[in-house]
Amino acid sequence: MSKLPNTSASIFSVMSQLANEHKAINLSQGFPNFPVDGRLLEITNRLLIENIHQYTPMVGLPSLLEKITTLTYKNYQRIIDSASELLITTGATQGIFTTINTLIKSGDEVIILDPSYDSYEPSVLVAGGNPVRVSLNDDYSPNFNRIEEAISHKTKMIVVNNPHNPTGKIWSEEDYQNLETILDKHSQIVLLSDEVYEYISFKHQHISVNTRPKLREKAIIASSFGKSLHVTGWKVGYLIAPKHLMKEIKKVHQFLVFSVNSISQHVISEYLNVVDFDEISKMYAKKRTLFQDALRESKFEILPSEGTYFQVVNYGEISKKNDTEFAKELITKHGVAAIPISVFYEDATDKHMLRFCFAKTDETLLAAAEKLCAI
Ligand code: PMP
Ligand code: GLN
């Protein structure tokens, strides 16, 4: 009966649990361990006693939809119609799952770029589609020759994640132009653009599909307030898509979720009046530099992290064990938890890479780095 016979507990659950069991410093699963903004807590406290506890409209709280419309115009100069092109979701995960399960039918192919975030493939399998996994280049940039070769008349979707989990890579202007050229030739393909780390970029500004007129007409863009506001447990995100696609997505959403929890929508709506998204990249850039500098004396090779709150390192100088075993050893023997990168590949490509999450207090990062430097 299983639709996912080869799927087990996600690597994030496995590593976080192991980290807890061994009291290791948890740099595995991607979530902040620093305190939530006091202003967010103040708004929450104040609103909790108000009359905000019943269903919101199915597509989302009207004031939140308006705030997102304003934000999207401010950041990306895109004018969206909140009534027909926007949907609040229970985190980006549900937005992605709902999108795929709305638009993909049995036998359709979906291109996924490896290493890829773990929720895309199961979402395609549950929809009855066939995931077609295409490896990124060695420097984790997209390989458009390979992407084009993978396209068939059955290809209905390509999933792109930018800034990229797990590698921290950010696509260039040229990458987007290449994607536009390919999708121009294949009008049956829609783009699912996972941009949950849109506000965390260091090397150059993240280019959102919201700013690409050619792409956005065929794109569903997933955002996450969990990531952008440092409240991953709140599980609130949103989708932006052209009306004809959104109309279909809403049909499924109303029976999967109906409406997202009201309290967080009310609080986020008010919090968006005061939050400064420009500060987010600056804050994480400092953490990235602190962590990288603290690891300089270690035997780990530090790869570029252009965006997200992830740092990939190569441990080839330390061990020849496969990355999952080494990650477990890192927890049990050295007290630091990371995510092995091979789990993000269809064929478990193992280049001796680990992903560390640096969305942590400076003390946590320095304590972890001290342990890592001692190896
Ligand atoms: N996409 C990527 C690339 C992620 O890293 C995550 C994890 N937060 C998600 C989607 C899911 O986001 P959410 O927590 O809002 O469901
Ligand atoms: N997105 C988070 C990460 O990459 C994990 C989310 C989850 O546990 N599903 O670590």
Side-chain angles (χ1 to χ4, degrees):
M1 291 282 277
S2 176
K3 285 190 170 182
L4 299 172
N6 302 318
T7 303
S8 45
S10 101
I11 190 70
F12 308 115
S13 310
V14 172
M15 286 299 166
S16 273
Q17 196 183 331
L18 207 58
N20 289 340
E21 276 167 27
H22 292 269
K23 301 197 176 7
I25 301 176
N26 190 0
L27 306 191
S28 63
Q29 196 174 21
F31 64 89
N33 81 335
F34 45 81
V36 168
D37 186 347
R39 294 172 301 177
L40 185 69
L41 297 180
E42 183 277 317
I43 296 168
T44 311
N45 275 332
R46 182 160 42 75
L47 292 189
L48 268 181
I49 53 166
E50 301 286 327
N51 181 19
I52 59 165
H53 301 280
Q54 308 309 328
Y55 295 129
T56 66
M58 188 270 280
V59 295
L61 184 73
S63 68
L64 181 57
L65 295 174
E66 282 317 310
K67 296 279 168 58
I68 296 170
T69 306
T70 307
L71 188 70
T72 308
Y73 183 71
K74 183 169 166 261
N75 287 328
Y76 304 127
Q77 291 72 56
R78 178 177 183 183
I79 300 170
I80 50 170
D81 174 22
S82 62
S84 62
E85 296 179 316
L86 189 54
L87 178 68
I88 308 294
T89 58
T90 302
T93 310
Q94 184 246 316
I96 290 165
F97 184 90
T98 307
T99 298
I100 292 174
N101 277 273
T102 301
L103 303 177
I104 296 304
K105 297 194 193 75
S106 173
D108 288 347
E109 292 178 359
V110 177
I111 294 181
I112 296 174
L113 306 178
D114 277 359
S116 56
Y117 184 59
D118 70 341
S119 85
Y120 310 141
E121 176 171 286
S123 304
V124 174
L125 292 174
V126 171
N130 295 324
V132 176
R133 315 264 298 242
V134 177
S135 284
L136 295 166
N137 289 319
D138 284 347
D139 69 352
Y140 302 124
S141 60
N143 184 314
F144 288 99
N145 291 332
R146 288 206 281 258
I147 291 173
E148 248 194 310
E149 277 166 21
I151 292 176
S152 79
H153 67 281
K154 292 185 185 159
T155 312
K156 293 291 154 55
M157 181 183 282
I158 176 167
V159 185
V160 165
N161 168 215
N162 225 329
H164 187 245
N165 181 8
T167 69
K169 188 81 181 172
I170 294 190
W171 280 25
S172 66
E173 169 69 28
E174 198 189 341
D175 292 329
Y176 279 103
Q177 284 169 2
N178 286 329
L179 182 67
E180 282 163 2
T181 307
I182 291 180
L183 294 189
D184 263 354
K185 287 191 244 168
H186 302 277
S187 58
Q188 85 280 12
I189 303 180
V190 295
L191 168 65
L192 173 53
S193 182
D194 177 347
E195 303 190 18
V196 301
Y197 301 101
E198 63 196 305
Y199 296 113
I200 315 178
S201 57
F202 313 122
K203 190 180 170 209
H204 58 81
Q205 189 106 22
H206 157 61
I207 300 173
S208 172
V209 168
N210 278 303
T211 64
R212 314 291 303 188
K214 272 189 170 181
L215 292 176
R216 65 194 186 197
E217 293 316 312
K218 54 183 92 175
I220 305 93
I221 302 169
S223 291
S224 168
F225 283 123
K227 296 289 166 182
S228 302
L229 304 179
H230 323 297
V231 284
T232 59
W234 285 31
K235 297 298 299 185
V236 184
Y238 57 94
L239 294 175
I240 296 177
K243 187 176 174 182
H244 68 285
L245 297 175
M246 187 56 94
K247 188 172 152 229
E248 298 305 313
I249 292 168
K250 283 178 184 173
K251 288 183 195 169
V252 176
H253 176 85
Q254 69 180 334
F255 297 116
L256 188 60
V257 178
F258 189 68
S259 60
V260 172
N261 88 75
S262 61
I263 302 171
S264 18
Q265 290 194 69
H266 278 273
V267 173
I268 290 172
S269 173
E270 191 173 325
Y271 184 56
L272 287 180
N273 293 336
V274 293
V275 71
D276 181 358
F277 286 99
D278 293 339
E279 290 303 316
I280 297 174
S281 286
K282 287 184 205 153
M283 186 264 290
Y284 280 123
K286 275 195 205 146
K287 293 200 176 289
R288 181 193 61 153
T289 305
L290 179 94
F291 188 53
Q292 288 184 342
D293 287 350
L295 282 185
R296 295 262 180 246
E297 300 302 313
S298 77
K299 294 201 182 102
F300 291 95
E301 182 196 344
I302 303 164
L303 272 73
S305 165
E306 300 173 356
T308 73
Y309 43 52
F310 300 119
Q311 174 64 56
V312 175
V313 300
N314 183 299
Y315 62 85
E317 217 187 294
I318 301 172
S319 171
K320 298 290 168 233
K321 288 201 165 140
N322 75 44
D323 62 2
T324 304
E325 273 180 36
F326 185 70
K328 286 183 180 156
E329 183 178 303
L330 204 60
I331 294 177
T332 53
K333 284 201 185 153
H334 305 287
V336 182
I339 297 287
I341 298 287
S342 66
V343 300
F344 299 102
Y345 287 91
E346 178 183 35
D347 60 359
T349 301
D350 185 358
K351 295 182 183 162
H352 290 168
M353 303 285 192
L354 296 179
R355 187 199 83 177
F356 290 112
C357 170
F358 56 80
K360 306 293 167 189
T361 62
D362 293 357
E363 294 70 34
T364 305
L365 294 173
L366 292 174
E370 196 180 326
K371 288 177 187 288
L372 295 171
C373 285
I375 301 172

